[in-house]
Amino acid sequence: MQASFYEYLQNPKICELFLCKDEKQADLLAQVSRFKGLKTFVLPDFRAQFGDDLRAFSKELFDLCKILNAYHKEEEKKILISPLNTVLKKLPSKKHLQNYHIDKKQNFDLKCFEDEISRLGYEFVDIVQDKGEISIRADIIDIFCINEENPIRILLFGEEIESIRYFDLQSQKSIPNELEHFEICPFLKYFDKENYEIFKDKLEDFQSDTLIHDINSLGFWCIDDFFDYLELDFLACEKFDINEYEKDISFVNAKILP
């Protein structure tokens, strides 16, 4: 598989999307494409079924948003590699994953920020412990952005930002070096005010045994305008067993890597 993929990548024009069976195969393909110097983005193996409580899949969803966000921002030659299970579902596109920018020099309206963060899909908590969470305590804002490896702390002085720093999740202590700015990647979708109200109504009405109807548990199933990445020019690295998939994948098996 890797040898065939390497040979294929010698072509001046290659497909946008490469499909494989699982994350292990995806990693092997990614090693080859990175060796060739291509900007490579690997999606997680997202196997949730429609209606599942997605809190059990939070890592996969955070990774999906982070990776697709980076993929759409990349302007150089790039490829997307994904397990088939993942792209059999429609996923967030570039328009859904527009980042929210924070700059130390900006005037900061806390109430407006809280509203924006809600529509970015972040969860308000007392103490930030995981990605996608935010805590606001007087003039201290802690947020763990989906697109960051460490959480960020903002200190306010009135409507001014006094400092922006990373902080340690275990000790909760700030790291000395300051940031001048950062970006917040949305979780699933950056809603405008009107669409956010419509989305909340859909969440409330969604038929599920899940006790809590929120964006973390059921939000993925309630967004209607995600993108079908199988509309991209794609190739599969090998033939898939049609009995392992609920959907008809015959069209995928018709496009196998030479």
Side-chain angles (χ1 to χ4, degrees):
M1 179 185 70
Q2 286 174 290
S4 299
F5 187 51
Y6 181 83
E7 287 300 318
Y8 174 79
L9 294 181
Q10 308 301 318
N11 296 317
K13 185 177 180 180
I14 61 173
C15 291
E16 301 167 274
L17 171 65
F18 291 87
L19 304 177
C20 55
K21 185 176 181 180
D22 52 31
E23 287 184 341
K24 183 177 180 180
Q25 284 190 347
D27 288 340
L28 291 174
L29 293 174
Q31 290 175 25
V32 176
S33 60
R34 287 172 180 144
F35 178 77
K36 286 289 294 176
L38 293 171
K39 299 292 184 180
T40 304
F41 300 86
V42 182
L43 297 182
D45 194 354
F46 180 42
R47 293 178 176 251
Q49 300 297 314
F50 182 77
D52 283 349
D53 184 341
L54 293 173
R55 286 184 180 271
F57 298 89
S58 59
K59 183 182 185 305
E60 289 91 336
L61 284 174
F62 290 151
D63 285 347
L64 266 176
C65 294
K66 173 185 175 180
I67 294 163
L68 288 173
N69 176 267
Y71 170 78
H72 288 298
K73 287 171 64 177
E74 181 57 59
E75 296 181 353
E76 295 184 21
K77 191 174 182 180
K78 60 189 176 183
I79 63 171
L80 187 64
I81 299 173
S82 176
L84 179 57
N85 271 305
T86 301
V87 292
L88 285 175
K89 308 170 187 68
K90 292 184 178 181
L91 304 172
S93 66
K94 184 176 182 178
K95 72 174 183 178
H96 300 102
L97 298 173
Q98 298 297 313
N99 287 349
Y100 183 77
H101 301 264
I102 297 290
D103 192 292
K104 187 179 177 182
K105 298 177 182 178
Q106 73 184 67
N107 289 329
F108 194 87
D109 185 324
L110 182 57
K111 183 169 284 190
C112 179
F113 176 71
E114 288 185 54
D115 178 58
E116 295 284 354
I117 285 297
S118 295
R119 293 188 282 109
L120 283 162
Y122 281 65
E123 183 177 9
F124 287 85
V125 296
D126 293 329
I127 298 176
V128 168
Q129 296 179 316
D130 202 355
K131 289 190 175 187
E133 294 181 343
I134 181 169
S135 169
I136 300 177
R137 306 182 306 279
D139 57 355
I140 301 173
I141 301 170
D142 289 346
I143 182 169
F144 202 156
C145 304
I146 291 168
N147 51 313
E148 293 282 356
E149 295 306 314
N150 293 292
I152 290 172
R153 175 166 293 151
I154 305 171
L155 294 184
L156 301 177
F157 183 75
E159 293 187 353
E160 296 181 359
I161 296 176
E162 188 173 290
S163 68
I164 304 172
R165 292 185 174 94
Y166 290 114
F167 70 92
D168 182 81
L169 207 57
Q170 301 302 319
S171 68
Q172 293 287 306
K173 291 183 178 180
S174 297
I175 296 169
N177 294 339
E178 289 195 32
L179 304 173
E180 292 300 315
H181 53 82
F182 69 98
E183 296 183 343
I184 304 172
C185 173
F187 177 55
L188 301 182
K189 179 176 179 176
Y190 191 171
F191 294 92
D192 60 32
K193 291 183 179 180
E194 180 181 353
N195 285 326
Y196 187 55
E197 294 305 316
I198 295 171
F199 168 73
K200 288 195 295 183
D201 289 340
K202 286 183 179 178
L203 265 180
E204 187 65 31
D205 295 338
F206 190 84
Q207 297 298 311
S208 172
D209 294 331
T210 303
L211 294 177
I212 301 174
H213 286 217
D214 62 10
I215 191 169
N216 297 87
S217 57
L218 298 171
F220 184 87
W221 311 123
C222 297
I223 299 174
D224 299 327
D225 63 342
F226 280 161
F227 177 66
D228 183 357
Y229 279 79
L230 290 173
E231 291 183 9
L232 298 177
D233 186 20
F234 73 84
L235 281 177
C237 68
E238 64 181 17
K239 193 170 184 178
F240 295 96
D241 184 349
I242 60 173
N243 297 314
E244 293 183 7
Y245 300 88
E246 292 184 0
K247 293 185 177 181
D248 177 16
I249 60 165
S250 56
F251 70 102
V252 175
N253 281 337
K255 300 181 70 175
I256 305 297
L257 184 69

